[in-house]
Amino acid sequence: MVIDSHQHFWKYEPAKHSWIDDTMSAIRRDFLPSDLQKVYVEHGIDGCVAVQADQTLEETDFLLNLADENDFIKGVVGWVDLRAENIDDVLAEYHSKKKLKGWRHVIQGEPDHNFLLRSNFLNGISFLEKYDYTYDILIFPHQLGATLEFVKRFPHQKFVIDHIAKPYIKDGFYEGWAVLMKEIAKQENVLCKVSGMITEADYENWTPEQIHPYMYLVLEAFGTKRLMYGSDWPVCLVAENYGQVKTIVTDYIKTLSAAEQNALMAENAIEFYNL
């Protein structure tokens, strides 16, 4: 079994999706379940978790509607303004949506490096455990210091770091990222998605060998029980096709036991998101 723990859907709108710049022009179009289902049949994927790309409640509802209409979408990570004063009421309202598994905010886009530690955001996070919601941490490496303090404040909250914290693979930067990732991995309630790596490398000239040191680090730090496979489709298409994205991971872990491979490729995501 294979579960893709991280992918996106959207109906492309230039203003809404302004983050898709000229270097990513290949994904300036709609990407919907009918597109992804064909890819999954070809590559043996059994289900997925759809993750927010736009920071509106309309986006959350859009993904939940798609999940209701498509059985292969096993869970949704939506967006809600965790800083809102009525956050408990909003979370309670969404709790009846069984495919809604957790939440995410695009922290990487926040100019405040310590956004995660702001009191109103921390207040919102404090309500997630009450509803058994997960939280996806989307950051750049310069935000890892704040992330370490952040996760220590919530030792019972289920966290997962998206895209191995987006290390600067293209530039070869490693040491600072590695030190903090190892520290964060000491918090046993934090998992990590082995995803989004090729888009942090050179789109045109990346090689698996450039990515291997980063994969080795997270495998050593988090272990096979706290890593999960994700494709980051369709964003991954700016650098390669789905098959090659999957192969980077499956080739790297082929020396692990069958049980360890299954954990990383499916079981950890199923358990974490309660799929």
Side-chain angles (χ1 to χ4, degrees):
M1 176 179 285
V2 179
I3 298 293
D4 185 344
S5 71
H6 199 105
Q7 56 76 216
H8 307 285
F9 297 114
W10 60 70
K11 292 182 178 178
Y12 178 69
E13 298 177 27
K16 180 189 292 187
H17 300 106
S18 59
W19 58 271
I20 304 177
D21 60 25
D22 290 342
T23 68
M24 307 171 78
S25 58
I27 58 172
R28 282 179 172 162
R29 64 177 181 85
D30 296 354
F31 287 93
L32 296 169
S34 57
D35 303 301
L36 185 57
Q37 195 163 29
K38 298 170 188 174
V39 175
Y40 281 177
V41 169
E42 181 180 355
H43 296 288
I45 311 298
D46 299 285
C48 66
V49 177
V51 179
Q52 63 84 218
D54 184 40
Q55 302 203 124
T56 63
L57 284 177
E58 288 78 12
E59 168 85 344
T60 301
D61 295 338
F62 165 69
L63 294 177
L64 287 170
N65 287 336
L66 294 181
D68 286 342
E69 296 166 359
N70 297 271
D71 289 342
F72 76 91
I73 305 172
K74 305 300 184 184
V76 167
V77 174
W79 180 88
V80 66
D81 188 354
L82 290 163
R83 299 163 294 180
E85 292 184 2
N86 67 335
I87 185 61
D88 190 15
D89 294 335
V90 178
L91 295 177
E93 182 180 343
Y94 273 96
H95 198 232
S96 63
K97 307 292 186 180
K98 297 307 179 185
K99 281 196 173 182
L100 181 58
K101 304 302 182 179
W103 304 95
R104 186 176 84 153
H105 187 90
V106 183
I107 303 297
Q108 69 175 39
E110 294 291 342
D112 181 358
H113 294 186
N114 293 314
F115 179 90
L116 284 168
L117 301 176
R118 296 307 171 206
S119 59
N120 54 1
F121 191 77
L122 293 172
N123 178 66
I125 293 290
S126 71
F127 287 102
L128 299 187
E129 187 183 351
K130 172 181 177 180
Y131 297 103
D132 196 27
Y133 282 134
T134 63
Y135 185 76
D136 273 54
I137 302 173
L138 177 63
I139 51 168
F140 283 133
H142 70 267
Q143 296 162 317
L144 281 168
T147 300
L148 177 59
E149 291 191 42
F150 173 68
V151 297
K152 283 184 173 181
R153 293 181 184 227
F154 301 98
H156 304 295
Q157 173 60 44
K158 294 165 71 174
F159 291 117
V160 61
I161 295 178
D162 290 347
H163 312 323
I164 67 172
K166 299 194 135 186
Y168 305 123
I169 298 172
K170 181 179 180 180
D171 299 309
F173 297 158
Y174 175 84
E175 293 297 336
W177 165 85
V179 167
L180 283 167
M181 286 293 280
K182 285 190 282 188
E183 285 301 310
I184 290 170
K186 292 177 183 178
Q187 312 306 309
E188 295 187 358
N189 59 314
V190 183
L191 282 74
C192 182
K193 290 184 181 180
V194 184
S195 62
M197 297 174 293
I198 62 170
T199 45
E200 299 311 314
D202 186 322
Y203 292 172
E204 303 296 331
N205 299 301
W206 67 271
T207 66
E209 288 72 25
Q210 291 170 331
I211 294 168
H212 286 169
Y214 301 89
M215 294 182 67
Y216 177 82
L217 186 283
V218 295
L219 185 58
E220 287 292 299
F222 289 90
T224 56
K225 293 184 179 179
R226 289 194 289 138
L227 292 178
M228 60 180 85
Y229 162 73
S231 69
D232 200 24
W233 181 96
V235 181
C236 65
L237 301 180
V238 303
E240 208 46 87
N241 63 53
Y242 191 99
Q244 288 171 297
V245 170
K246 180 187 174 190
T247 298
I248 291 171
V249 178
T250 55
D251 278 358
Y252 192 78
I253 66 173
K254 64 185 178 184
T255 59
L256 300 177
S257 70
E260 289 172 322
Q261 292 181 53
N262 188 53
L264 197 153
M265 297 301 294
E267 293 301 327
N268 296 341
I270 292 170
E271 181 177 356
F272 180 80
Y273 286 118
N274 190 27
L275 303 182

